Amino acid sequence: MSTTTSTPASGARTGGLSSDLPRAGSRGGSGAAPLKNNYSSLLQVVLFWLGAILMPTGIIVILLGYYGVANAAFDFDREAYSYSGGFLGLALTFSGGFLYFGAWLARIAEDNRESSKRLADTLLVLADVTSRSAAINDNGVDVAALPVIAGNGTTIHRRDCALIAHRDDLRPAGDTPGLTACRVCKP
């Protein structure tokens, strides 16, 4: 048994909606393992930590190469230290910098994805509010809440009941005696 909770929207903007609305991009997970099946966040974390390791390592290699060049007695030793310390250190430092940059780009992509989900949720709330306001006619009567009967049935439904949503033979219930109320929509 899984339960989903949704953050209710502001009542001032939505007219006091209290029903659970669908969430765009929701998968119904509990959130216990935030990196499970979330490859963009995993990519961001991996790039960040690789950059965090490579940049300081490159700087340390450059400093060790400088120390080796400064303390070498022969010219051929100085060349070896400058190649190994200087070029390898620069390569590690630039690689770490590019990985940091990649982590930053992955973070921007994740933020854009989250804002798109929030925008989609807001649009779903707006669509629900406008559909409810369109269902109310000029006299302030909620047309979706009017009681109807499907065909020759003996059960009163609301016009927006899920059990009769596909039916075309709806007629107003009026004051017909002996009708029972639907247990789903409870008119």
Side-chain angles (χ1 to χ4, degrees), residues 162-176:
L163 296 176
I164 60 167
H166 64 281
R167 306 270 310 246
D168 293 329
D169 58 345
L170 300 178
R171 59 185 175 87
D175 292 329
T176 310

Side-chain angles (χ1 to χ4, degrees), residues 43-115:
L43 176 69
Q44 177 196 356
V45 169
V46 168
L47 289 176
F48 175 79
W49 283 109
L50 282 176
I53 291 169
L54 286 180
M55 269 185 91
T57 304
I59 292 172
I60 290 170
V61 168
I62 290 173
L63 291 175
L64 288 174
Y66 173 75
Y67 180 76
V69 168
N71 294 323
F74 302 107
D75 286 339
F76 63 86
D77 284 340
R78 289 187 184 125
E79 289 177 9
Y81 280 118
S82 66
Y83 292 142
S84 64
F87 295 130
L88 179 64
L90 283 175
L92 290 174
T93 303
F94 279 111
S95 298
F98 284 124
L99 290 175
Y100 265 135
F101 182 68
W104 178 66
L105 288 178
R107 175 65 182 195
I108 288 174
E110 183 67 26
D111 288 344
N112 284 341
R113 201 170 292 118
E114 280 296 318
S115 65

